[in-house]
Amino acid sequence: MRTAWDYIRGIGGAAAAAFQFLSRLPVPLTLDYSGGLFRRSVVFYPLVGAVLGAILWGAGAVLQAVLPPLPAAAVLLALWAALTGALHLDGLMDTADGVLSHRSRERMLEIMKDSRVGAMGVVVCVLVLLLKWSLLTSIMERGGGLALLPLVLLWSRCMMAAALVCWPYARQEQGGGMGSLFAGLGFRHLTGAAGLAAVLTLSAGWWTGGAALLPLLLALPAAAAAGCALMGAYLHRKLGGLTGDTYGAINEGVETLLLAVWVGMTGL
């Protein structure tokens, strides 16, 4: 029979696994990685995003105080990539190389497994980084704070959880791989992640002063869900499912979309 302490340790281990998997933040714990731990860790993906976003928010405030918007946004974006070890950008590049090759499904998946980066991957990555940089610059030039960055990162990672649950793994016939780690992932895990994301969003609304930000607090999760649905459906149609690389691509796509929604709505 599990005790309350066992339950608390299980929650702590799952949260630690999420941070070790999705970030480069130091989490000095030795974990016994298993399918069960990976599945439980998905619930805490939004928490990882919120913590990374809070770090970027603080760093952005310092950068805005000492640098003009253009270099401040560039340095902030570099820190953004460093905090994740460019994990999701790597997935974006591999996905672009495969999907934009317009080859057969099997060949696309082979290209995505290749550790070398091709021309399409570089082009797409550069364009996404330029777009993110320009959007961050726009936010800073308007004199606005970066208090919503935690919401951008937490909802993009919540959508990774949604992608894991809502679409099949594309390499099932090959066995092993990331798909085996998350086998058995269900809607209860997605419900947990979405519930945590909602609580964190409401907390952010209260912390930042509330009513004036309500339209954005509602628009960001709605846009995240729409972006994830469109990208997931497109990639599923091309690949017959999703892979670890496409989860990273979805994260990058949703982050960029949410920054654009933020800039668009604050400009109205």
Side-chain angles (χ1 to χ4, degrees), residues 36-259:
L37 181 60
F38 269 103
R39 290 191 294 273
R40 292 192 299 273
S41 73
V42 169
V43 174
F44 295 96
Y45 281 12
L47 179 61
V48 177
V51 171
L52 295 177
I55 294 171
L56 292 172
W57 174 18
V62 174
L63 290 168
Q64 283 181 285
V66 299
L67 290 174
L70 289 173
V75 175
L76 185 63
L77 191 56
L79 177 60
W80 194 332
L83 286 172
T84 63
L87 174 68
H88 310 305
L89 288 171
D90 179 69
L92 173 69
M93 290 187 286
D94 287 341
T95 299
D97 279 335
V99 172
L100 298 181
S101 70
H102 302 293
R103 307 290 182 86
S104 66
R105 169 186 176 271
E106 292 74 19
R107 181 60 182 142
M108 287 181 187
L109 291 172
E110 288 178 10
I111 292 172
M112 289 165 65
K113 288 183 69 175
D114 193 333
S115 60
R116 294 169 296 181
V117 179
M120 293 310 301
V122 172
V123 169
V124 169
C125 182
V126 169
L127 291 176
V128 168
L129 288 174
L130 281 173
L131 184 53
K132 279 187 168 183
W133 172 69
S134 65
L135 292 168
L136 287 171
T137 300
S138 179
I139 294 168
M140 292 180 175
E141 284 179 340
R142 295 176 185 180
L146 297 167
L148 294 183
L149 270 181
L151 300 186
V152 170
L153 275 75
L154 78 87
W155 280 109
S156 67
R157 282 149 184 80
C158 186
M159 292 305 105
M160 290 176 66
L164 279 161
V165 172
C166 295
W167 286 280
Y169 188 64
R171 302 185 194 274
Q172 289 181 3
E173 70 279 1
Q174 299 174 12
M178 180 177 246
S180 63
L181 298 176
F182 294 98
L185 195 69
F187 279 96
R188 69 184 185 280
H189 300 96
L190 175 56
T191 300
L196 179 57
V199 169
L200 292 170
T201 299
L202 292 173
S203 300
W206 174 81
W207 179 263
T208 53
L213 291 178
L214 183 60
L216 264 172
L217 295 179
L218 296 175
L220 291 180
C228 177
L230 289 172
M231 288 189 69
Y234 171 76
L235 292 168
H236 177 259
R237 181 170 61 84
K238 297 288 285 187
L239 301 170
L242 302 187
T243 71
D245 289 324
T246 63
Y247 303 136
I250 287 172
N251 179 81
E252 289 295 326
V254 171
E255 281 183 349
T256 307
L257 173 62
L258 296 189
L259 287 175

